[in-house]
Amino acid sequence: MAAPQDIEEGIIEAARALVGGSGLSSLTIDRLAEASGTSRMTLHRRGIKRRAVLDALVHRAAEAYIAALWPSLTAPGPAAERLTMALDAICATADDNLALLAGLFGEVDSPFHRSGDDDGARETDALFTAPLARLLRDGALDGSISAAADPEETAAVLFNVAGWGYIHLRYAQGWTAARARPAVTTFALAAVGAEPC
């Protein structure tokens, strides 16, 4: 099977267009072959499977997420301001990958989780929560955010409530970004004792 990083750009773009246009269920090898201007047999010979293509799309979305959050980690100013930037970046990244993320919402074996603990509960991958935990700790130090007893757990809740809440409002309920983004951001900031900036 082809590794996600070995899949040609044209195939990934065709997959992205399929998912963006018709949702995650439209990502089949037959449809991908047609959308990319190749044949199912060619994809088979190259070892390109649906899971590898999906992994490539998720990898690209994760890279965009990290790049989008970086300015909030390096900017000057109070942590509450930088958390507002981070939440806006989460929403913007979600908008760029809305159909893909909506399709992944119910996936138990999601790239957003790491293996379960003794209780069987899955934790949100630190790749997604560590930037938020840092901002929460910074905010507790500068007084712009209420101190959290467990910044890592609070960051996981914040990522999931803000991220998935925003995706649901945008994708399932059809809210505009102009309506959903401030609603989610204001709610998330209030939950950690920060004022919207």
Side-chain angles (χ1 to χ4, degrees):
M1 180 167 87
Q5 67 273 14
D6 296 334
I7 299 174
E8 300 164 18
E9 187 66 25
I11 303 282
I12 294 172
E13 285 306 314
R16 184 176 165 84
L18 274 172
V19 172
S22 305
L24 191 58
S25 63
S26 68
L27 183 58
T28 66
I29 291 299
D30 287 335
R31 287 184 175 172
L32 182 59
E34 183 181 334
S36 63
T38 189
S39 71
R40 184 181 188 357
M41 186 51 73
T42 299
L43 294 178
H44 176 72
R45 277 195 304 267
R46 293 180 188 167
I48 296 174
K49 306 256 189 240
R50 182 184 188 274
R51 185 64 206 196
V53 173
L54 182 57
D55 288 348
L57 289 171
V58 168
H59 178 76
R60 183 178 280 186
E63 285 181 334
Y65 172 84
I66 292 164
L69 260 66
W70 185 249
S72 67
L73 296 173
T74 59
E81 246 176 59
R82 295 183 294 124
L83 181 58
T84 302
M85 290 172 58
L87 292 168
D88 282 340
I90 288 171
C91 295
T93 304
D95 279 328
D96 291 342
N97 299 282
L98 204 52
L100 172 66
L101 295 172
L104 290 172
F105 177 74
E107 293 286 322
V108 174
D109 185 23
S110 163
F112 301 103
H113 307 140
R114 51 188 156 90
S115 58
D117 58 19
D118 294 339
D119 298 344
R122 290 174 184 80
E123 297 299 323
T124 306
D125 193 302
L127 170 77
F128 302 103
T129 61
L132 299 176
R134 175 174 164 202
L135 291 170
L136 292 171
R137 285 191 297 276
D138 288 355
L141 290 173
D142 72 17
S144 65
I145 297 173
S146 297
D150 184 344
E152 282 72 23
E153 184 161 310
T154 302
V157 172
L158 191 59
F159 172 79
N160 283 286
V161 169
W164 293 115
Y166 181 79
I167 291 163
H168 179 78
L169 290 171
R170 291 279 290 120
Y171 192 80
Q173 292 191 225
W175 285 28
T176 64
R179 180 180 179 196
R181 193 176 294 187
V184 167
T185 301
T186 301
F187 181 83
L189 290 168
V192 296
E195 292 292 321
C197 300

